[in-house]
Every structure is written in structure tokens, then in C-alpha cells.
């Protein structure tokens, strides 16, 4: 509560700038404040976001501070990791955006992620100080909308099922590499080759992994009130571990997604197929996802009711030469919520959900998820795609469990975001066969300030 009050006080000066600014982007490097060159209103915040330093050169600064208090009972469906008083996750990001000309731009960002009150924090929770992003953009041809990005950078595509920012846990994900970007008439296409940046619990010690890399093509074509995406992703992991054994993994993913809005209806459909090899085993994996929602604009609070469903392949036989487990590669880290961080692999899930807009600044979201194993001969995976448990041939149930969640979000001043919520994970028969099968209760309070 003290942190929330402090952030409210800190956010008050942003009210004094007297100007309207665009909404913050999920990736801060996508924000463009060059329009401020012709803005005649003077304010300290304008000077922070846009400072001319030459005929065509300017620099801007920004940041993000987030504090979360979390409490979780029976983590991992076990009483061994019981934490009675919870813990806090603190993260701050600070960036500088330097445009030397229309053709050259540098972007740099520092990140600090801290976990307080947790006995054994993992690197994505505790990473005291690191160069999170540092890249240069070059646009060499004045009449061709083609740019090249080289260096450390955040990357996310589409629904973020396979490549995400990983915003929820604490420390956001970064990659080292090169990307070529084309954008014209709302048609976008990226070609990239990237190495994963390994999170380490130290200061300025994160490094590029030679053993974990991704490359590919992502394109997006606009439709009337929607969009159509196509992608190819290549993936290499020199130290892959699955329930049917370790090996060098060379995996290829082809997929497509269509997002469409028709009246008050919205549809989101995505499918992907994976092939390649893990050691001497061939890969044959797939996934399909569907989300449908309808917004009742004439009713109080404009309720939006929807349902999501995923069908994601798992391995059918751990002793044969074919591997059917879908690799989510770089998922969000909280695909089904922070209460039970399960990777979207070997799963069937159905999520009825509802959103209520209580006011212009406040909304309430609730979700009920039902989870099953797709294959009885494959287990569950953590978000980093390592097995959750030992493979137990005696565990025959498909039903993993159900999860009820609710979140109340409040946005004020355009800079301050407050949230609180809970999740109740009711362990199903499968979890009772391989763990203590304890139910998980998770709650959080969050405050975030962006500038």
C-alpha cells in the first residue's frame, strides 16, 4: 500500500504537462514523439520526451517502474514451498532514444528486477542490473521503407504464443541479433536471426547464449477490421530436455493467424505445425487456438463475454522415434496465469471469460480455465520448456485441473496503472497422481508508473 501511495504522488506532476500524448506501446521503442517538433506548448514532460540537439537530430527519455506484492500457497501443488507472508517483485526500466537523422537511430535501455522476501528467486525474478536493450536502426534507402536493426532488443510477434516479451514474471526477455523490417501501406514483414540473452543473478553479467537461437519471418497483412499473419520460425536448442530424453533440437514452425471484428463480434484463430529433429527423433507437432467474444455495448458496464480454446499436441510414445510435443519456445511465462506457470504444450484447455468496463478508467476481468493433458503419455512443461515432473507411467488421468481468476485494473492520468487480483487453482486427478495435489491460492497487488 505504501508503494501505491508513493507512485500516486509521483504521478501527480504528469498532470501538469497539459498535453495529450499517445498511449504507451508494449515495446517502448515503437513510440514516436517526433510530432512534438511542431508542438507550441512548452512543458517539462515535452522536453523529456523530445529534445532537439541538431538540425535533424533529437533525443527522448522514458521509463517504467512496477511494484508487485504476491502471495501464493502450495506453489507447485506442494506444501513444501509454503510462503505465509508473500514476497514483492520490483522492476524498473529506463531508456534513451537518440535519432541522429532520418536514417540512423540508437535505442538503449537499462533494466533492474528485484525479488524481496523470496528465499530462492529465479533469474527472471531477480536480475539486479543489466543492459536490457542496446541497438541501432539504419534506414539506408530514402524511398524504400526498409530498416535494419542490429544489437540487443526485445521481440514479440502476433498473439505472443511462441515469442513474447515475458512481461508478467518480472524481468523482460531480450535477444541479441539482427532484424530486417519492411513496412508499407500497413503491410509489415520482419526477417530476423537472434540469440537468446541468458538472465543471470548479477550486475551487467547477462550474455548471449550460443546454444539457444531463433530465426524466421513474420508478416502481417491488414484486413477490413482485422489482420492476417503468416510466420516461419526456426529454432535451435543444443541442450533440449523432454520427457522422452535430451538431445540437440532443430525445430521449424509454420503458422498463420487471422484476427477479425464483425460488429460486436471478435474472432481470433491461429494454427501452427512444427517439424524437424531432436537427436535421432523426428518432430511432428501442432497447435490450434480459437478465441471468440461478443461485446454488449447497450448494457451497463458494456460486458464482453468470450471463450478461448487451445488444442496443443503432446508426445504419443516416449520410446519411439517421433516427438509430438509442441515446443512453445519463448512463451509469456504466465500463459494460463501466475498461479500455475504451465507452458502451452501437451494441453487441451477451454477458457470462458468476461470483461466489464466499470468506468473509463476501471475494468474487471474474470476467467475460468479447464485444463487437460492432450496425451496421457506426456507430462507438463514449465515456461522454459523443461519437464515439470518425472514421467509417471501410472498417471493415467488427462484432467490437470481448473483455475478461477479475477482481476481489477485501474488506469489513471494515462501514466499510473493499478491492479489487484486472485487465482484459485483446483488440482485435478493428474496432479494428485504425480504431486501432493494441493490446491493453489494466488493473489497480487500491482502498481506501475510509465513515463
Amino acid at each position: 500500500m505504501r508503494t501505491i501511495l508513493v507512485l500516486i504522488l509521483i504521478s501527480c506532476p504528469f498532470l501538469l504537462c497539459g498535453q495529450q500524448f499517445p498511449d504507451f506501446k508494449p515495446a517502448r521503442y515503437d513510440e514516436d514523439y517526433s510530432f512534438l517538433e511542431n508542438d507550441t506548448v512548452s512543458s517539462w514532460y515535452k522536453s523529456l520526451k523530445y529534445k532537439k540537439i541538431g538540425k535533424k537530430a533529437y533525443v527522448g527519455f522514458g521509463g517504467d517502474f512496477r511494484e508487485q506484492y504476491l502471495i501464493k500457497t502450495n506453489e507447485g501443488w506442494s506444501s513444501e514451498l509454503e510462503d505465509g507472508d508473500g514476497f514483492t517483485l520490483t522492476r524498473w526500466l529506463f531508456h534513451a532514444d537518440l535519432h541522429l537523422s532520418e536514417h540512423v537511430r540508437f535505442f538503449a535501455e537499462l533494466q533492474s528486477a528485484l525479488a524481496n522476501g523470496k528465499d530462492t528467486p529465479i533469474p527472471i525474478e531477480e536480475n539486479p542490473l543489466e543492459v536490457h536493450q542496446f541497438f541501432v536502426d539504419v534506414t539506408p534507402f530514402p524511398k524504400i521503407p526498409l530498416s535494419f536493426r542490429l544489437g540487443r532488443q526485445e521481440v514479440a510477434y502476433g498473439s505472443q504464443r511462441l515469442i513474447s516479451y515475458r512481461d508478467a514474471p518480472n524481468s523482460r526477455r531480450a535477444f541479441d541479433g539482427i532484424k530486417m523490417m519492411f513496412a508499407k501501406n500497413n503491410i509489415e514483414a520482419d526477417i530476423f536471426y537472434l540469440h537468446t540473452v541468458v538472465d543471470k543473478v548479477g550486475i551487467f553479467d547477462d550474455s548471449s547464449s550460443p546454444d539457444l537461437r531463433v530465426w524466421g519471418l513474420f508478416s502481417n497483412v491488414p484486413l477490413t477490421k482485422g489482420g492476417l499473419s503468416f510466420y516461419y520460425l526456426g529454432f535451435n536448442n543444443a541442450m533440449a530436455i523432454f520427457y522422452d530424453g535430451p538431445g540437440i533440437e532443430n525445430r521449424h514452425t509454420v503458422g498463420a493467424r487471422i484476427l477479425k471484428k464483425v460488429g460486436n463480434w471478435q474472432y481470433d484463430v491461429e494454427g501452427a505445425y512444427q517439424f524437424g529433429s531432436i537427436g535421432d527423433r523426428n518432430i511432428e507437432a501442432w497447435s490450434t487456438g480459437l478465441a471468440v467474444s461478443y461485446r454488449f455495448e447497450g448494457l451497463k458496464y458494456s460486458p464482453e463475454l468470450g471463450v478461448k480454446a487451445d488444442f496443443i499436441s503432446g508426445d504419443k510414445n516416449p520410446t519411439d522415434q517421433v516427438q509430438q510435443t509442441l515446443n512453445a519456445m519463448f512463451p509469456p511465462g504466465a500463459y494460463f496465469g501466475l498461479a500455475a506457470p504451465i507452458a502451452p504444450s501437451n494441453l487441451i484447455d477451454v477458457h470462458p471469460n468476461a470483461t466489464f468496463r466499470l468506468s473509463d478508467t476501471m475494468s474487471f476481468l474474470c476467467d475460468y480455465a479447464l485444463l487437460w493433458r492432450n496425451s496421457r503419455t506426456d507430462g507438463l512443461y514449465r515456461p522454459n520448456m523443461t519437464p515439470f515432473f518425472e514421467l509417471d507411467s501410472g498417471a493415467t488421468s488427462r484432467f490437470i485441473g481448473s483455475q478461477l481468476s479475477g482481476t481489477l485494473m485501474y488506469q489513471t492520468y494515462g501514466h499510473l496503472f493499478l491492479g489487484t487480483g486472485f487465482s484459485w487453482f483446483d488440482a485435478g486427478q493428474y496432479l494428485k497422481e504425480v504431486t501432493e495435489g494441493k490446491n493453489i491460492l494466488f493473489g497480487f497487488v500491482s502498481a506501475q508508473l510509465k513515463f
Side-chain angles (χ1 to χ4, degrees), residues 267-334:
Y267 306 90
D268 187 346
V269 182
E270 184 170 357
Y273 180 76
Q274 294 184 337
F275 59 95
S277 64
I278 301 176
D280 59 355
R281 307 187 302 276
N282 294 322
I283 295 173
E284 298 177 4
W286 53 269
S287 72
T288 58
L290 169 67
V292 181
S293 64
Y294 183 85
R295 183 174 179 180
F296 296 87
E297 293 184 347
L299 299 181
K300 189 176 182 180
Y301 304 133
S302 301
E304 184 173 344
L305 305 181
V307 62
K308 301 177 183 179
D310 294 288
F311 301 87
I312 307 170
S313 66
D315 196 38
K316 298 179 180 178
N317 186 341
T319 62
D320 66 5
Q321 296 301 304
V322 181
Q323 228 279 354
Q324 290 99 357
T325 305
L326 183 114
N327 190 333
M329 297 188 290
F330 306 102

Side-chain angles (χ1 to χ4, degrees), residues 406-418:
T407 305
L408 181 67
M409 301 299 296
Y410 180 72
Q411 176 182 347
T412 181
Y413 313 145
H415 296 271
L416 182 63
F417 305 82
L418 306 177

Side-chain angles (χ1 to χ4, degrees), residues 237-437:
N237 184 358
M239 298 181 289
I241 301 176
F242 288 84
Y243 278 103
D244 55 357
I248 298 176
E249 179 179 9
N250 291 289
R251 187 178 295 253
H252 307 275
T253 304
V254 290
R257 179 195 183 203
I258 184 169
L259 183 65
K260 185 75 173 178
K261 187 173 182 180
V262 181
N264 291 341
W265 289 95
Q266 182 165 299
Y267 306 90
D268 187 346
V269 182
E270 184 170 357
Y273 180 76
Q274 294 184 337
F275 59 95
S277 64
I278 301 176
D280 59 355
R281 307 187 302 276
N282 294 322
I283 295 173
E284 298 177 4
W286 53 269
S287 72
T288 58
L290 169 67
V292 181
S293 64
Y294 183 85
R295 183 174 179 180
F296 296 87
E297 293 184 347
L299 299 181
K300 189 176 182 180
Y301 304 133
S302 301
E304 184 173 344
L305 305 181
V307 62
K308 301 177 183 179
D310 294 288
F311 301 87
I312 307 170
S313 66
D315 196 38
K316 298 179 180 178
N317 186 341
T319 62
D320 66 5
Q321 296 301 304
V322 181
Q323 228 279 354
Q324 290 99 357
T325 305
L326 183 114
N327 190 333
M329 297 188 290
F330 306 102
Y335 192 83
F336 303 105
L338 285 169
I342 301 171
S345 186
N346 186 35
L347 284 173
I348 298 174
D349 61 88
V350 179
H351 298 240
N353 58 83
T355 301
F356 301 90
R357 291 162 179 82
L358 306 181
S359 69
D360 292 338
T361 58
M362 184 178 295
S363 61
F364 177 72
L365 301 82
C366 55
D367 176 275
Y368 183 66
L370 296 163
L371 305 170
W372 296 266
R373 287 190 298 163
N374 193 325
S375 173
R376 287 189 173 93
T377 53
D378 201 356
L380 297 184
Y381 290 83
R382 302 178 187 274
N384 63 356
M385 285 307 299
T386 57
F388 233 119
F389 319 109
E390 295 287 339
L391 188 61
D392 187 348
S393 59
T396 59
S397 177
R398 289 183 185 270
F399 188 53
I400 299 167
S402 60
Q403 180 174 256
L404 176 65
S405 302
T407 305
L408 181 67
M409 301 299 296
Y410 180 72
Q411 176 182 347
T412 181
Y413 313 145
H415 296 271
L416 182 63
F417 305 82
L418 306 177
T420 184
F422 77 95
S423 292
W424 170 260
F425 195 104
D426 188 10
Q429 184 59 36
Y430 169 69
L431 292 174
K432 293 177 181 178
E433 292 173 346
V434 296
T435 70
E436 289 183 59

Side-chain angles (χ1 to χ4, degrees), residues 41-262:
V41 178
S42 178
S43 71
W44 69 269
Y45 188 62
K46 173 187 173 181
S47 300
L48 179 71
K49 305 306 293 182
Y50 182 88
K51 181 68 175 179
K52 198 163 185 178
I53 56 175
K55 185 176 182 180
K56 293 185 177 181
Y58 65 91
V59 65
F61 302 92
D64 182 330
F65 178 79
R66 187 180 73 179
E67 181 89 4
Q68 297 183 95
Y69 169 73
L70 307 96
I71 188 166
K72 184 185 296 187
T73 64
N74 303 320
E75 185 174 356
W77 306 282
S78 171
S79 59
E80 295 181 0
L81 298 176
E82 193 66 32
D83 185 355
D85 57 358
F87 58 97
T88 61
L89 296 178
T90 302
R91 182 186 73 198
W92 65 260
L93 296 138
F94 179 77
H95 68 260
D97 189 6
L98 173 62
H99 293 251
L100 294 179
S101 68
E102 296 176 351
H103 306 291
V104 180
R105 174 247 194 142
F106 287 89
F107 187 92
E109 185 174 49
L110 292 175
Q111 177 175 238
S112 174
L114 302 173
N116 300 302
K118 192 168 186 182
D119 294 335
T120 55
I122 57 179
I124 63 171
E125 296 172 334
E126 177 85 21
N127 194 347
L129 189 60
E130 51 113 0
V131 178
H132 182 56
Q133 296 192 80
F134 185 67
F135 62 79
V136 58
D137 283 350
V138 178
T139 306
F141 311 111
K143 296 184 179 181
I144 301 177
L146 188 66
S147 298
F148 297 87
R149 177 169 296 167
L150 177 65
R152 182 161 296 184
Q153 55 196 278
E154 290 186 341
V155 177
Y157 288 109
S159 62
Q160 299 191 37
R161 292 170 184 263
L162 300 176
I163 300 183
S164 71
Y165 298 121
R166 197 186 60 195
D167 183 70
N170 204 21
S171 176
R172 286 169 67 109
R173 178 185 286 119
F175 298 88
D176 286 335
I178 187 170
K179 180 164 63 173
M180 182 177 70
M181 302 168 288
F182 174 86
K184 185 177 183 180
N185 299 326
N186 292 324
I187 297 175
E188 300 175 339
D190 288 0
I191 299 175
F192 52 89
Y193 180 88
L194 305 164
H195 285 256
T196 306
V197 175
V198 180
D199 299 281
K200 299 178 182 179
V201 186
I203 296 177
F204 295 131
D205 61 348
D206 291 4
S207 60
S208 181
S209 171
D211 300 321
L212 195 61
R213 50 196 172 96
V214 62
W215 61 94
L217 164 69
F218 185 91
S219 62
N220 187 67
V221 179
L223 301 175
T224 303
K225 294 185 178 181
L228 178 62
S229 301
F230 298 95
Y231 55 87
Y232 159 75
L233 301 173
F235 177 78
N236 176 265
N237 184 358
M239 298 181 289
I241 301 176
F242 288 84
Y243 278 103
D244 55 357
I248 298 176
E249 179 179 9
N250 291 289
R251 187 178 295 253
H252 307 275
T253 304
V254 290
R257 179 195 183 203
I258 184 169
L259 183 65
K260 185 75 173 178
K261 187 173 182 180
V262 181

